[in-house]
Amino acid sequence: MKTLNTFLFFTGLCMPVTTMAADLDVAIKNVFASRVSETTPGCNLGVIKNQQLIHKAGYGLANLEMNVPLDGSQVHRMASVSKQFTAVAVLLLAEEGKIDLDAEIHTYLKDLRDYGELVTIRAMLGHVSGMGDYDLIAGSYEGEKSKGSIDLKSVAGGDFRLGNEDYLTISEFYDVVKTVPLALKPNQKFQYSNLAYFLLSMLVEEVSGKSLRDYASEKIFKPLGMSHTFFSDNPVEIIKNRAMGYAQNDDGSYINEMTNLFWVGDGGLHTTLEDMLKWDENFYTPKVGSNPSKLVALMNTSNSQLMADKWSYANGQFVGETMGRMSYSHSGGWLGTSTYYVRFPEEKMSFAMMCNDSGLDAQELINEVIALYFDNQ
């Protein structure tokens, strides 16, 4: 299958297709060689060209205890790559006439604290709402809580810890986030905010009457045939064929690293490479929504003119250039996972990397793979 599909990509090259495909497979294995072994966690990699997977493979283990190899089929937690799926759910509500993207968020979530500023849904989608991040609530492995954080305590009386030590249900977390002040005035600068995207999940629930999980399943995943994709909002559910999450100790050994945080919106999406192919296809042959082409165009439109360094931001996608080519991309990282998805519309190519070791840099790895393909064009 790889050989036939690779023909689509390498048509016109003088080197035989089978030789070129084999050479690329070897080159990709070499990318992982110094980071992943047959006894460590690793990554699933998918390369899409012209709406076909021309490379789908796993490197390393999906489960260290059971010695199950990654083979490209596993279900992965996508961390912040989830945001573009949350954004589409919000855009669908707007398409249905149930929300106004330029309305103030209190129009729909009336229990939020008074921010003293106009905070719109569009600004939240684009990370320019002035809302802050997890450091306004608690410390985590990413760093200490900020000076302006709320004073959230664990049940033992110490500072609450985000990750896998302390636990809050979705409703409990919502009660906490309701009290968090803005980090800065809206529409002043790009300020990445997981809290904003969590609140967007609560917006979907409040307006649709369904959880983000159920709404996205009905409106997005089922129409696209993404049968292994869902927002996991249940910390104890069984997820078949899941790639378990790990972290490496200083001595080189590994530990289980699975988060106990199961609110969604900013993260929480679980999916596979095959389902990401179906998601990718929707950008070229749209199916979602009552006016699919219009919805995709809106999805790809930046939410504001404010930039994140050299990037603009469009509904869960960083828009700019990767290796000199127009791209839409997003990374994801949290306990036990590191992910990256990038789409090159002019080349009709996309790359998806799903790693189950939080110490691996999916973006760095995928850029090395991208270079292999583009260097052979």
Side-chain angles (χ1 to χ4, degrees):
M1 179 178 174
K2 286 183 186 175
T3 300
L4 292 174
N5 287 340
T6 305
F7 176 79
L8 298 171
F9 178 72
F10 293 106
T11 297
L13 294 179
C14 59
M15 185 177 291
V17 172
T18 53
T19 303
M20 183 62 74
D23 287 348
L24 273 168
D25 284 347
V26 170
I28 291 172
K29 286 180 181 178
N30 289 337
V31 168
F32 291 94
S34 63
R35 287 104 155 183
V36 174
S37 77
E38 294 180 352
T39 62
T40 69
C43 308
N44 278 325
L45 167 66
V47 181
I48 300 168
K49 174 67 176 178
N50 290 329
Q51 298 174 244
Q52 296 187 60
L53 273 167
I54 62 173
H55 183 94
K56 184 183 80 169
Y59 307 87
L61 292 176
N63 188 302
L64 300 189
E65 293 164 313
M66 301 295 292
N67 205 38
V68 177
L70 289 162
D71 61 9
S73 72
Q74 281 79 21
V75 176
H76 286 257
R77 181 162 47 90
M78 296 301 288
S80 286
V81 175
S82 309
K83 287 182 172 66
Q84 58 196 268
F85 297 85
T86 303
V88 169
V90 172
L91 297 182
L92 282 168
L93 288 176
E95 182 185 65
E96 295 167 6
K98 294 180 179 178
I99 63 169
D100 178 353
L101 296 178
D102 294 308
E104 213 280 333
I105 187 60
H106 286 85
T107 306
Y108 309 102
L109 298 181
K110 300 183 185 301
D111 292 337
L112 297 180
R113 67 172 293 154
D114 182 2
Y115 295 131
E117 302 284 349
L118 180 68
V119 177
T120 67
I121 297 167
R122 193 185 303 275
M124 292 168 66
L125 287 165
H127 295 297
V128 295
S129 66
M131 291 182 178
D133 215 335
Y134 288 149
D135 62 312
L136 284 177
I137 293 177
S140 70
Y141 82 99
E142 292 185 326
E144 298 296 323
K145 64 181 183 179
S146 66
K147 292 182 179 178
S149 67
I150 62 173
D151 188 26
L152 183 64
K153 299 296 185 182
S154 72
V155 293
D159 286 342
F160 188 89
R161 299 159 296 179
L162 285 169
N164 56 10
E165 296 95 353
D166 297 322
Y167 175 77
L168 289 172
T169 66
I170 293 176
S171 61
E172 288 170 340
F173 186 64
Y174 185 32
D175 285 340
V176 170
V177 177
K178 289 174 186 177
T179 70
V180 178
L182 296 181
L184 67 160
K185 287 182 177 293
N187 303 307
Q188 300 297 305
K189 62 177 291 189
F190 181 92
Q191 169 100 356
Y192 192 81
S193 177
N194 282 297
L195 300 187
Y197 266 78
F198 164 70
L199 288 176
L200 290 173
S201 78
M202 302 312 296
L203 169 70
V204 171
E205 182 169 324
E206 179 66 26
V207 174
S208 72
K210 301 174 181 179
S211 66
L212 177 60
R213 178 180 186 145
D214 290 343
Y215 184 81
S217 176
E218 176 186 337
K219 300 291 186 176
I220 303 171
F221 306 142
K222 286 182 180 178
L224 293 179
M226 297 173 68
S227 57
H228 297 97
T229 303
F230 55 96
F231 279 99
S232 180
D233 53 10
N234 181 351
V236 295
E237 69 179 310
I238 300 298
I239 299 175
K240 293 186 177 181
N241 202 30
R242 169 165 47 187
M244 300 298 291
Y246 301 96
Q248 190 173 30
N249 289 320
D250 291 339
D251 63 3
S253 62
Y254 286 89
I255 59 169
N256 288 311
E257 191 178 48
M258 299 291 286
T259 185
N260 65 7
L261 307 180
F262 276 79
W263 49 80
V264 294
D266 57 327
L269 186 89
H270 286 57
T271 192
T272 65
L273 291 177
E274 289 284 355
D275 275 10
M276 284 301 292
L277 169 64
K278 295 171 183 177
W279 174 252
D280 194 81
E281 287 176 345
N282 189 64
F283 289 99
Y284 302 102
T285 54
K287 298 178 182 178
V288 171
S290 59
N291 190 333
S293 295
K294 186 177 179 181
L295 187 70
V296 166
L298 181 59
M299 172 73 173
N300 289 335
T301 301
S302 298
N303 303 111
S304 81
Q305 299 302 309
L306 296 171
M307 304 289 285
D309 192 17
K310 61 180 180 178
W311 305 88
S312 63
Y313 199 84
N315 302 292
Q317 307 171 105
F318 284 97
V319 186
E321 287 191 355
T322 300
M323 298 187 182
R325 293 167 169 83
M326 174 66 177
S327 68
Y328 295 81
S329 63
H330 213 291
S331 63
W334 192 240
L335 277 70
T337 191
S338 177
T339 60
Y340 198 76
Y341 167 61
V342 57
R343 192 174 77 256
F344 296 91
E346 293 176 4
E347 288 78 9
K348 291 191 176 179
M349 285 200 77
S350 298
F351 299 78
M353 187 81 76
M354 306 172 179
C355 304
N356 64 335
D357 176 354
S358 56
L360 293 173
D361 188 332
Q363 183 173 354
E364 177 183 289
L365 286 165
I366 214 168
N367 282 340
E368 293 184 35
V369 174
I370 291 168
L372 293 174
Y373 279 87
F374 287 161
D375 287 349
N376 281 282
Q377 284 193 10

